[in-house]
Amino acid sequence: MSDTKEMLETVRAPASLPMAEVATAIDACLRCVQTCTTCANADLAEEAVDELRRCAAWCVTCADVCDVTARLLSRPAYSDQLTIHHVLQACVRACENSAEECARHAQHHRHCAICEGVCRACVEACAALLDAQTIDGLEDLAGG
Amino acid sequence: MSDTKEMLETVRAPASLPMAEVATAIDACLRCVQTCTTCANADLAEEAVDELRRCAAWCVTCADVCDVTARLLSRPAYSDQLTIHHVLQACVRACENSAEECARHAQHHRHCAICEGVCRACVEACAALLDAQTIDGLEDLAGG
Amino acid sequence: MSDTKEMLETVRAPASLPMAEVATAIDACLRCVQTCTTCANADLAEEAVDELRRCAAWCVTCADVCDVTARLLSRPAYSDQLTIHHVLQACVRACENSAEECARHAQHHRHCAICEGVCRACVEACAALLDAQTIDGLEDLAGG
Amino acid sequence: MSDTKEMLETVRAPASLPMAEVATAIDACLRCVQTCTTCANADLAEEAVDELRRCAAWCVTCADVCDVTARLLSRPAYSDQLTIHHVLQACVRACENSAEECARHAQHHRHCAICEGVCRACVEACAALLDAQTIDGLEDLAGG
C-alpha cells in the first residue's frame, strides 16, 4: 500500500478528479518509470541488441513521459485539467507503444514480459482518468 | 549558436519533421526549463510569496513539461509522431499558463518579466512544430 | 509488492550491489518523488505559505534528486559505481534536508508528517547502499 | 547569449557561488542533456549498435545527471551547498564517462564527436564550480 492517495487528500484544493483513481495512475506511472528504465538498460546488454533497438528507444521515452505524468498528477493544487489531459494522452500512447514492442520480445526476454504488463496497467489507469475528465471536467476543459 | 540542429542531423532516421524547427523548439524548451525553474524558486523567496503561489506552481509544472518535450524531440530515431503531438500540445498549454501568470507580476518582479518572454517563445516554437505535423505528418498521425 | 527486484534480476550484468537492497532503494526513491512533489504543491496552497517556503523549495529539489537516483539504480548494466556513489550521497543529503524541514511542520500539516517519514525511509535505504558500496565495491571505486 | 545569469540575479538570496560561473554550468548541463539524449538515440539507429551499447547507456545516464544538476543550480534560494557538491561530483563523473566512451567512436560517428566536446565542456564548467565551492563555501560545507 502506498501513501499516494493519503498524500493527495492532504492538499487544500478542489478535487478536479477522483483522488483514488489519480493515486492509482500515479503509482502505475512510477512503476512504469522503473520498469521501462530497467527494460531499456537490459535491452542494451542482450546479445540480440540488434533486434531490441526500438524497444530500448521506446522504453526510454515511455519512462520520461510516465515521469512527467506522475509529477503533474501529484500536484492537485493549481492544477490545469487541459495540460493534464494532453499529458495523459501522451502517456497512454507511449505506454501502448512500449507494451506492443515488448510483447514482440516477451517470449525471449523476461524483462520485456514484465514490462509489457506494467505498461498495460499504466495505459488502463491513465485511460480511466481520461474518461473521468471527459465526464466530470468537460466544462473546465471547454473553458480552458 | 547551439549544436542542436547539427546533432539531430547526425541521426540515421527518416526526418518526420523539419529539423531546423525541431532544433528551435528543443532550444526553446531547454531555456524554458531553466527560466521556469529559477522563476519558481525566486517566487518562494519574495516577500509577496502569498501572491505568487500560482506562479510558483505553474512554473514548476511548465519546467517539467518542457523538459520531457525537449527529450522527446531530441530523439529522431524511433520517434512516434502521435506521442510527440500530445506532448507538444501539453507544452504549449503549460507555457501559456506560465506566461499569463508571469505577465500579471511582470511589473513588480523581474524574474516574471523574463520568464513570460521565454515561455511565449516556447509556445511559438512548439506551435510551429504542431503546424508542421498537421501538414507533413497527417498520414502518420492518422495511421498511428 | 513491486516488480523492481525481479526486473533488476533480468538484466545481464555483473551485480555490483546486492539487488534486494537496490530494489528497496529504488522503491523508496520513487515514493519520495511522489510524496515530496505533493508536499511542495500542498505547501503552496496553505494559508501559512509564508512559513513553508523552505519546505516547498527543499521538497521540489528532493523529488528531483530522488528521481535521478531511482533512474541510475534502475540501470544495472553499464553502471558506474562512482557516479552512483555521488548520487546516493546527494540523495541522502536532500532527503535529510526535507525530512528535517518537514518535521518542523509535521504537527500542523499532515502532508509534512507523511513526507518526513517517507524521506527518512529513503535516507535509510540509500545509506544502506552506500554502506554496501564501501564494503563490496571499494576496489571498483578506487579503480574508477 | 542566454538569460541564465540575468535570471539567477533576480533571485532574492545570498549568493553562495559566483553567479557567472553558475550560469555557465547550467547552460553547459542543458546542452549536455540535449546532446547526450540525441547521441544515445543515434547510437540505437546505427548499424554498429553492437559496439555502441555502452555509449548509449552512459549518454542516457549523463543526460539524467546533467538535467538534475541544471535544476539544482537554477535554484539559488534555499539552496544547500552540500547537496549541490555531491550532484556536481556526480555530473563531472558522468560527463567524463560519456566523453571517454564517445571519444572511442568519434572518428566513425559524428554524433559521438560532437557529444564528446559538449561533455568535456560540461566537465570543465562543473569542475570550476566545485573549485569555487572549496574556496568560498568551505565553512558552509563543514557546517552542513
Side-chain angles (χ1 to χ4, degrees):
Chain A
M1 283 298 298
S2 81
D3 301 309
T4 308
K5 180 160 171 288
E6 194 180 351
M7 272 304 289
L8 295 173
E9 287 169 349
T10 66
V11 183
R12 289 160 48 99
S16 308
L17 289 168
M19 281 301 139
E21 294 183 27
V22 175
T24 299
I26 291 170
D27 290 349
C29 284
L30 291 174
R31 290 262 51 86
C32 213
V33 171
Q34 199 290 309
T35 312
C36 280
T37 300
T38 300
C39 193
N41 183 255
D43 288 339
L44 291 175
E46 294 286 353
E47 253 184 73
V49 62
D50 185 46
E51 300 162 22
L52 293 164
R53 302 153 179 263
R54 179 178 298 272
C55 185
W58 280 6
C59 281
V60 167
T61 282
C62 189
D64 286 345
V65 176
C66 287
D67 196 327
V68 75
T69 307
R71 283 166 176 254
L72 264 63
L73 292 176
S74 293
R75 297 179 185 131
Y78 311 111
S79 68
D80 173 57
Q81 290 304 304
L82 192 53
T83 309
I84 287 175
H85 186 74
H86 293 310
V87 164
L88 283 170
Q89 286 180 306
C91 195
V92 165
R93 174 69 178 186
C95 290
E96 281 174 351
N97 284 346
S98 284
E100 280 167 36
E101 186 61 24
C102 279
R104 299 183 56 224
H105 310 287
Q107 275 201 312
H108 295 94
H109 301 295
R110 177 91 184 113
H111 46 85
C112 288
I114 299 173
C115 193
E116 183 198 349
V118 172
C119 289
R120 292 208 193 281
C122 197
V123 169
E124 201 175 327
C126 291
L129 272 191
L130 281 168
D131 283 348
Q133 274 199 319
T134 314
I135 295 162
D136 300 339
L138 205 61
E139 289 150 59
D140 286 353
L141 287 173
Chain B
M1 283 298 299
S2 82
D3 302 307
T4 308
K5 180 160 172 287
E6 195 180 351
M7 271 305 289
L8 294 173
E9 288 169 350
T10 67
V11 184
R12 289 160 47 100
S16 309
L17 290 168
M19 281 300 139
E21 294 184 26
V22 175
T24 300
I26 291 171
D27 289 349
C29 285
L30 291 174
R31 290 261 51 84
C32 214
V33 171
Q34 199 291 310
T35 312
C36 280
T37 300
T38 299
C39 193
N41 183 255
D43 289 339
L44 291 176
E46 293 287 353
E47 254 183 72
V49 61
D50 185 45
E51 299 163 22
L52 294 164
R53 303 153 179 262
R54 179 179 297 274
C55 185
W58 280 7
C59 280
V60 167
T61 281
C62 188
D64 286 345
V65 175
C66 287
D67 195 327
V68 75
T69 307
R71 283 166 175 254
L72 263 63
L73 292 176
S74 293
R75 298 179 186 132
Y78 312 111
S79 68
D80 173 58
Q81 290 304 304
L82 193 50
T83 308
I84 287 174
H85 186 75
H86 293 309
V87 164
L88 283 170
Q89 287 180 305
C91 195
V92 166
R93 174 70 178 187
C95 290
E96 282 174 350
N97 285 344
S98 284
E100 281 167 35
E101 186 62 24
C102 279
R104 301 182 55 223
H105 310 287
Q107 275 201 312
H108 295 93
H109 301 294
R110 177 91 184 113
H111 46 84
C112 287
I114 299 173
C115 193
E116 183 197 349
V118 172
C119 288
R120 292 207 193 281
C122 196
V123 168
E124 201 176 325
C126 291
L129 271 191
L130 281 168
D131 282 349
Q133 275 199 319
T134 313
I135 296 162
D136 300 338
L138 204 61
E139 290 149 58
D140 287 354
L141 287 173
Chain C
M1 284 300 298
S2 81
D3 302 309
T4 308
K5 181 160 171 288
E6 194 180 352
M7 271 306 287
L8 294 173
E9 288 170 349
T10 67
V11 183
R12 289 159 49 99
S16 308
L17 289 169
M19 281 301 138
E21 294 183 26
V22 175
T24 300
I26 292 171
D27 290 349
C29 284
L30 291 173
R31 291 261 52 84
C32 213
V33 171
Q34 200 289 310
T35 312
C36 281
T37 301
T38 300
C39 192
N41 182 255
D43 288 339
L44 291 175
E46 293 286 353
E47 254 183 73
V49 62
D50 185 45
E51 301 162 21
L52 294 164
R53 302 154 179 262
R54 180 179 297 272
C55 186
W58 280 7
C59 281
V60 166
T61 281
C62 189
D64 286 346
V65 176
C66 288
D67 195 327
V68 76
T69 307
R71 283 167 175 253
L72 264 63
L73 293 176
S74 294
R75 296 180 186 130
Y78 311 109
S79 68
D80 173 58
Q81 289 304 303
L82 193 51
T83 309
I84 287 175
H85 186 74
H86 294 310
V87 164
L88 284 171
Q89 287 180 305
C91 195
V92 166
R93 174 71 178 186
C95 290
E96 281 174 351
N97 285 345
S98 284
E100 280 168 35
E101 186 62 24
C102 279
R104 300 181 57 223
H105 310 288
Q107 275 200 311
H108 295 93
H109 300 295
R110 178 94 184 111
H111 46 84
C112 287
I114 299 173
C115 193
E116 183 198 349
V118 172
C119 288
R120 292 206 193 282
C122 196
V123 169
E124 202 177 325
C126 291
L129 271 191
L130 280 169
D131 282 349
Q133 275 198 318
T134 313
I135 296 162
D136 300 339
L138 205 62
E139 290 150 60
D140 286 353
L141 287 173
Chain D
M1 283 300 298
S2 80
D3 303 309
T4 307
K5 180 160 172 288
E6 195 180 351
M7 271 305 288
L8 295 173
E9 288 169 349
T10 66
V11 183
R12 289 160 48 100
S16 309
L17 289 168
M19 280 302 138
E21 294 183 28
V22 175
T24 300
I26 291 170
D27 289 350
C29 284
L30 291 174
R31 291 260 51 83
C32 214
V33 170
Q34 199 290 309
T35 313
C36 280
T37 300
T38 300
C39 193
N41 183 255
D43 288 338
L44 291 175
E46 293 287 353
E47 254 182 73
V49 62
D50 186 44
E51 300 162 21
L52 294 164
R53 303 153 178 261
R54 179 179 297 272
C55 186
W58 281 7
C59 281
V60 166
T61 281
C62 190
D64 286 345
V65 176
C66 288
D67 195 327
V68 76
T69 307
R71 283 167 176 253
L72 263 63
L73 292 175
S74 294
R75 297 180 185 131
Y78 312 109
S79 68
D80 173 59
Q81 289 304 303
L82 193 51
T83 308
I84 286 174
H85 187 74
H86 294 310
V87 164
L88 283 170
Q89 287 179 305
C91 194
V92 166
R93 173 72 177 185
C95 290
E96 281 174 350
N97 284 345
S98 283
E100 281 168 34
E101 186 62 25
C102 279
R104 302 182 55 223
H105 310 288
Q107 275 202 312
H108 296 95
H109 301 294
R110 178 91 185 112
H111 46 84
C112 287
I114 300 173
C115 192
E116 183 198 350
V118 172
C119 288
R120 292 207 194 282
C122 197
V123 169
E124 202 176 325
C126 291
L129 272 191
L130 281 169
D131 282 349
Q133 275 199 318
T134 313
I135 296 162
D136 299 339
L138 205 61
E139 290 150 59
D140 286 354
L141 286 173

